[in-house]
Amino acid sequence: MKKIKIVTIGVYGFDEAGFFNALCNAEIDTFCDIRSRRGVRGATYAFANSKRLQARLAELGIRYIYRKDLGPTKAVREKQAAVDKATKTAKRKRTELGEVFIEAYHTECLDAFDSQSLLDELASDAKVVALFCVETAPEACHRSLVADKLAKTFNLEVEDILP
């Protein structure tokens, strides 16, 4: 098996130039979008909406993969929203996932996820793969759960890029 490095990145907290510079500085060659919905509200993060994002990545020579199977379902997201509401935590201010979300995400997504299928989808020359969602803190986002599963399954290094 080829040795790859996993990098996680969210969009919140970055401006457009900073986001794409961070990808280039980390030498990302493959960008794996694991959002349920590939849009971000508001002009600040319009660059992360699917079509614009894919066009900019293509300009930079970074391959784009979309894995909807890794995006949390509406039911799973609603569990986190309930925790956020109960703790009066704004979504963009969340610093960690609730246990109820983690359990539901594992049950609905990760338990059935074939890690090898993601590696098989990568180009043979892939070296640095970014797992992308929106939250700033990896601990507040499902991308950390996916990265953890890949790291444990394949003994891979994981690095988190923060704004």
Side-chain angles (χ1 to χ4, degrees):
M1 187 197 85
K2 59 189 166 194
K3 195 68 169 175
I4 61 168
K5 176 179 175 181
I6 300 294
V7 173
T8 79
I9 189 168
V11 72
Y12 293 156
F14 279 104
D15 61 17
E16 185 170 357
F19 181 80
F20 291 109
N21 285 339
L23 294 177
C24 292
N25 291 341
E27 300 179 354
I28 304 298
D29 54 58
T30 307
F31 187 94
C32 186
D33 190 340
I34 60 172
R35 298 176 289 176
S36 299
R37 297 181 308 243
R38 294 188 286 173
V40 184
R41 288 194 176 114
T44 304
Y45 298 110
F47 67 90
N49 291 331
S50 182
K51 287 184 178 158
R52 289 180 65 181
L53 176 63
Q54 289 182 64
R56 185 70 181 113
L57 292 170
E59 289 171 9
L60 296 170
I62 299 172
R63 287 179 293 273
Y64 175 89
I65 297 172
Y66 178 50
R67 290 297 299 252
K68 186 178 175 105
D69 60 321
L70 290 172
T73 62
K74 185 173 192 252
V76 173
R77 290 192 313 271
E78 285 172 350
K79 290 180 187 306
Q80 185 61 52
V83 170
D84 292 345
K85 185 175 181 181
T87 60
K88 294 183 169 72
T89 304
K91 181 179 175 184
R92 292 189 186 188
K93 301 290 184 198
R94 184 185 327 123
T95 57
E96 63 183 12
L97 292 168
E99 280 302 316
V100 66
F101 176 95
I102 293 169
E103 288 173 24
Y105 184 73
H106 273 276
T107 300
E108 289 196 28
C109 298
L110 272 190
D111 290 351
F113 169 58
D114 174 14
S115 301
Q116 188 63 48
S117 72
L118 178 60
L119 263 56
D120 291 346
E121 192 173 345
L122 302 177
S124 61
D125 63 343
K127 291 183 180 63
V128 185
V129 178
L131 295 177
F132 170 69
C133 196
V134 295
E135 284 81 5
T136 304
E139 303 82 14
C141 182
H142 74 288
R143 71 180 185 270
S144 65
L145 305 177
V146 176
D148 188 53
K149 178 164 181 159
L150 292 170
K152 286 179 177 160
T153 303
F154 300 113
N155 192 30
L156 301 176
E157 177 187 352
V158 175
E159 177 186 335
D160 299 310
I161 299 177
L162 301 170

